Amino acid sequence: MHSFSYVDGTLRCEGVELNEIANRFGTPAYVYSAATIRGNYQRLDTALAPLDHLVCYAVKANSNLAVLNLLAKLDSGFDIVSGGELFRVLKAGGRADRCTFAGVGKTREEIAFALKEGVYSFNVESEGELARINDVAGSLGMKAPIAIRVNPDVDAKTHKFISTGKSKNKFGIGIDRAAEVYQVAANLPHLKIRGVQTHIGSQILESGPFAEAAAKLAALVQDLKKSYDIEFFDFGGGIGIVYDDALSSGSPAWWDGQGSSRRITPEDYAAAIIPVLKPLGLRILFEPGRFLVGNAGALLSTVQYVKQTPAKTFTIIDAAMNDLIRPALYEGWHEIVPLRQSSADKIAMDVVGPVCESGDFFAQDRPLPPLQPDDRIAVLSSGAYGFVMSSNYNSRPLLPEILVDGDKMHLARERQSMDDLVRGESIPQ
Ligand SMILES: *Cc1c(COP(=O)(O)O)cnc(C)c1O
């Protein structure tokens, strides 16, 4: 679901006019809808109700404290990939004993921090990591709870940069070696085998790959249960969302798969996997990131120039690839709409940022209503892998993030100042 719609010709997020947010906090700026995040969480949680389950929000998708706090209040767990993310979760009121710690490169410091805070499970990606966690736990006089990330060699049918479950990817332990690596773990004195984990990729729009991975893993888990005290199976994240033109094509139910777009709903997802996972009789963890927050965000921006060349119309805006890198990195497609609704005939244009890279675009040859300097636009569905992947490239300050809840807006992160840009730097005397 999402909560961006035109009311009387102006675009709103829930009860707040986006123009009002732009007037108050300037552009570019990120806006998030609390109702969308809550709605998505509750809908997925309800779809998974037949399972003894825990939703562990993948923090890397959007790690603003206000977003994490909102999810913590819904009793969400968290999937973290660094010590920094654990720090954020704790700051936001989340519980360490509802955290799973993923990632192929955990450092000793991160492992020690997570052990002391009492994370629910380390999701381990290699034998080297098993040995290191055992070592750190031993030196602290603790036992580390672990699950091994098993790579089922399934094609998630998604962009190659966000596919993780094929045997050629760097993630996890191949399913054919899983039994052997569990034996290695069982022989390490400072580890406690607690579960099994998998994650096949991101932005997956069909239930087929999920069903295939669930079936492959369920067979393995049944086997492992005979030898070890397995308490949970963690099925990872990856549920895809719709990025297509919804608002502009006037199909309000697009995000429910009722429009022209292909879309996996939480109910489709649940139906594909519950029959396979329920008989395991275990606690099942899920790690959705994008699904919970992707459609909840918009990037507000102001048109600076309209540049006409013999080949194209370039609409140059004040946001850039350093603020939202998905188009440049994954050929990500985002719907772009003016804050003031327009019925003018659309013209094809490239919407680009000011950064000195040809990859700095938000849309190419996109039919949009004609835009003028100072017009404001929203780049929709940018709540996941948006702000979190931003940088100071071109010495551009990081953007503010505003959380809308009903008719209230909260500045969840201030815009960086020029001083912030050089903080910590110095010139040798
Ligand atoms: C990135 C990631 C997720 C979340 O993926 P989404 O596509 O955002 O749902 C979950 N689990 C792991 C291990 C990840 O790396």
Side-chain angles (χ1 to χ4, degrees), residues 32 47 95 172 182 221 286 288 292 321 419:
Y32 308 129
R95 281 168 42 180
Y182 269 90
V221 173
F286 295 91
L292 294 179
M321 65 187 290
D419 280 333

Side-chain angles (χ1 to χ4, degrees), residues 189-205:
H190 308 295
L191 300 184
K192 170 184 163 35
I193 293 173
R194 183 170 256 175
V196 182
Q197 198 264 359
T198 195
H199 169 73
I200 59 172
S202 195
Q203 183 54 10
I204 299 166
L205 286 162

Side-chain angles (χ1 to χ4, degrees), residues 272-340:
I273 57 174
I274 287 176
V276 192
L277 299 185
K278 181 133 179 98
L280 293 177
L282 299 175
R283 185 182 202 195
I284 312 290
L285 271 52
F286 295 91
E287 304 171 346
R290 188 191 313 268
F291 170 77
L292 294 179
V293 295
N295 293 138
L299 171 58
L300 305 188
S301 185
T302 305
V303 175
Q304 301 298 304
Y305 300 98
V306 177
K307 178 170 167 179
Q308 203 74 53
T309 74
K312 285 186 183 237
T313 300
F314 290 99
T315 301
I316 302 166
I317 63 175
D318 62 359
M321 65 187 290
N322 72 297
D323 304 311
L324 177 65
I325 204 173
R326 295 193 63 260
L329 190 59
Y330 317 123
E331 303 163 309
W333 197 99
H334 288 267
E335 181 177 16
I336 297 176
V337 289
L339 296 200
R340 194 177 308 281

Side-chain angles (χ1 to χ4, degrees), residues 11 15-16 207 228 313 376 408:
L11 192 61
V16 177
S207 52
Y228 311 106
T313 300
R376 286 170 175 160
K408 291 197 284 290

Side-chain angles (χ1 to χ4, degrees), residues 80-82 101-107 110-111 123-130 132 149 164 169-173:
I80 56 172
V81 294
S82 70
F101 189 176
V104 296
K106 299 174 191 80
T107 65
E110 288 176 317
I111 293 165
N123 293 342
V124 178
E125 308 235 9
S126 66
E127 285 143 292
E129 189 190 329
L130 279 179
R132 180 180 278 187
R149 176 169 177 175
T164 59
N169 297 127
K170 72 179 172 185
F171 300 99
I173 298 283

Side-chain angles (χ1 to χ4, degrees), residues 166-298:
K166 290 279 289 171
S167 54
K168 65 178 181 207
N169 297 127
K170 72 179 172 185
F171 300 99
I173 298 283
I175 190 159
D176 46 331
R177 291 199 55 237
E180 179 192 332
V181 179
Y182 269 90
Q183 192 52 57
V184 171
N187 290 332
L188 293 169
H190 308 295
L191 300 184
K192 170 184 163 35
I193 293 173
R194 183 170 256 175
V196 182
Q197 198 264 359
T198 195
H199 169 73
I200 59 172
S202 195
Q203 183 54 10
I204 299 166
L205 286 162
E206 300 167 43
S207 52
F210 288 121
E212 194 189 332
K216 279 188 162 181
L217 264 296
L220 172 73
V221 173
Q222 291 288 19
D223 257 7
L224 292 170
K225 270 174 68 183
K226 292 177 199 147
S227 316
Y228 311 106
D229 198 6
I230 305 278
E231 150 186 330
F232 76 89
F233 172 52
D234 180 341
F235 194 54
I239 309 171
I241 63 168
V242 167
Y243 284 97
D244 303 12
D245 43 345
L247 224 51
S248 27
S249 61
S251 54
W254 60 288
W255 37 263
D256 252 346
Q258 291 161 26
S260 54
S261 314
R262 242 168 7 128
R263 157 71 193 257
I264 183 170
T265 64
E267 294 77 21
D268 297 336
Y269 176 76
I273 57 174
I274 287 176
V276 192
L277 299 185
K278 181 133 179 98
L280 293 177
L282 299 175
R283 185 182 202 195
I284 312 290
L285 271 52
F286 295 91
E287 304 171 346
R290 188 191 313 268
F291 170 77
L292 294 179
V293 295
N295 293 138

